[in-house]
């Protein structure tokens, strides 16, 4: 399936998990909807707080600034993804999902 996002197109053809994570300590506190590969091995490394296991590749699909309306917006975005999966669509348009301001400056946002 292809995903159209605020930062480009992503093709996902392997088994992936689509999840939401909350990043409160970022420069711009946000929620992130991302797809993470289920085929990649977990990498273990020792960090500041001890050993951690990190999964392989992930793809950022949408970012939302933390606000009172974040929950409803995230639910609507996840519903769009669910419908695309259920209908076996080849394309899922998330280009207007989330908040443009939630993306850090290293991302080039596309004005579709």
């Amino acid at each position: 399936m292809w995903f159209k996002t605020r930062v480009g197109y992503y093709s996902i053809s392997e088994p992936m998990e689509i999840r939401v994570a909350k990043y409160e300590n970022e420069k711009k506190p946000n929620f992130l909807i991302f797809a993470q590969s289920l085929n990649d091995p977990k990498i273990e490394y020792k960090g500041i707080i001890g050993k951690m296991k990190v999964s392989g590749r992930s793809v950022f699909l949408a970012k939302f600034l933390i606000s009172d309306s974040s929950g409803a917006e995230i639910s609507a975005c996840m519903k769009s993804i669910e419908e695309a999966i259920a209908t076996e669509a080849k394309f899922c348009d998330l280009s207007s999902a989330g908040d443009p301001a939630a993306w850090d400056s290293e991302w080039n946002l596309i004005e579709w």
Side-chain angles (χ1 to χ4, degrees):
M1 176 186 305
W2 281 91
F3 288 90
K4 181 180 180 182
T5 72
R6 290 189 183 273
V7 295
Y9 292 101
Y10 294 104
S11 175
I12 299 176
S13 58
E14 63 185 85
M16 301 283 273
E17 238 175 26
I18 297 177
R19 298 186 294 168
V20 179
K22 186 177 185 179
Y23 294 96
E24 293 179 287
N25 297 325
E26 296 286 313
K27 288 184 272 185
K28 298 176 182 181
N30 66 79
F31 289 101
L32 170 66
I33 295 179
F34 64 101
Q36 190 162 34
S37 173
L38 294 176
N39 287 343
D40 291 349
K42 296 213 185 273
I43 300 165
E44 188 173 311
Y45 70 95
K46 186 172 182 176
I48 296 171
I49 58 173
K51 287 185 181 179
M52 298 181 74
K53 284 189 179 181
V54 177
S55 294
R57 294 168 292 146
S58 60
V59 175
F60 294 6
L61 300 175
K63 291 181 92 172
F64 301 81
L65 292 174
I66 295 176
S67 71
D68 292 341
S69 62
S70 299
E73 293 172 20
I74 291 167
S75 292
C77 184
M78 292 296 279
K79 185 70 174 164
S80 296
I81 295 168
E82 178 185 357
E83 288 172 3
I85 292 168
T87 62
E88 297 182 9
K90 293 183 180 185
F91 187 81
C92 182
D93 187 352
L94 302 177
S95 61
S96 61
D99 299 304
W103 294 87
D104 293 327
S105 61
E106 68 260 10
W107 293 94
N108 292 319
L109 299 183
I110 301 166
E111 292 185 31
W112 301 101

